[in-house]
Amino acid sequence: SENDTPNDTEAAVAKSARTATTVPRASPKVPTYEYYGFVLYLMSSLAFLVYLLWSYLPSRFLHQLGIHYYPNRWWSLAIPSFLVMTLVYIYVALAAYNTEYLTLPMNSIENIVDEAANVAAIDNQSAARSAGLDQPALSESDWATIWNEGTDAVMDIPLGGVCEVLYGRG
């Protein structure tokens, strides 16, 4: 009868389970970056908590916890102040560097416009128009007023016009 002999499928599964080789678990050899980010989050949160406790708890409470040596409380205000002023200095220094050293002089060879440029010029009606290299722009113009009105086309703004809009006349 069927109950006396094992099913062929069950026997095959049992035999294959005994002889099958196990496949190793697919895992990276090094921890992934999510772990690093989580540990960094935990450590920075812990450091901020210690900073807040050190800044605001009274000295006798820290002594009751067994903490007798810690920096002066002056540093809890000085370090953030130094960091903020360092960031302000970096912004000011970068702006000064970009203005002083990276702005090309008007007679620099890099300011030459090629024949493919669509240079904007000011016509006699004080309106922006496209001018080729053979049609020079008028020298006396109010670029700031012209560019507030806008143009109908995409044009290259002459360097003198950019300087006048950004820094004013002379």
Side-chain angles (χ1 to χ4, degrees):
S1 94
E2 290 183 16
N3 293 340
D4 294 339
T5 62
N7 190 351
D8 291 335
T9 306
E10 290 176 6
V13 168
K15 181 180 179 199
S16 69
R18 285 190 300 266
T19 61
T21 58
T22 59
V23 178
R25 186 173 152 246
S27 63
K29 294 184 179 176
V30 295
T32 58
Y33 291 107
E34 292 88 10
Y35 297 128
Y36 294 138
F38 183 66
V39 169
L40 181 65
Y41 167 73
L42 289 178
M43 291 297 126
S44 62
S45 298
L46 179 68
F48 185 65
L49 180 68
V50 168
Y51 166 77
L52 287 178
L53 293 176
W54 163 62
S55 298
Y56 291 110
L57 287 180
S59 296
R60 64 185 157 83
F61 187 79
L62 292 175
H63 291 252
Q64 287 175 352
L65 292 175
I67 302 171
H68 297 283
Y69 176 75
Y70 49 87
N72 192 346
R73 302 275 169 91
W74 178 82
W75 290 104
S76 68
L77 294 175
I79 291 175
S81 301
F82 289 156
L83 290 175
V84 168
M85 288 312 297
T86 301
L87 289 176
V88 169
Y89 171 75
I90 287 172
Y91 281 119
V92 170
L94 283 176
Y97 175 76
N98 288 338
T99 303
E100 182 67 26
Y101 291 106
L102 297 181
T103 302
L104 298 172
M106 292 293 282
N107 59 358
S108 175
I109 193 72
E110 283 96 5
N111 290 332
I112 294 178
V113 179
D114 62 354
E115 58 273 351
N118 187 14
V119 179
I122 305 297
D123 60 9
N124 291 330
Q125 289 84 22
S126 294
R129 63 170 170 79
S130 179
L133 292 178
D134 54 347
Q135 299 173 350
L138 297 176
S139 59
E140 293 296 323
S141 58
D142 187 12
W143 283 98
T145 305
I146 300 301
W147 295 118
N148 281 337
E149 295 174 10
T151 63
D152 293 336
V154 175
M155 293 184 273
D156 297 326
I157 305 172
L159 186 62
V162 172
C163 289
E164 183 180 325
V165 169
L166 290 178
Y167 307 115
R169 289 184 182 263

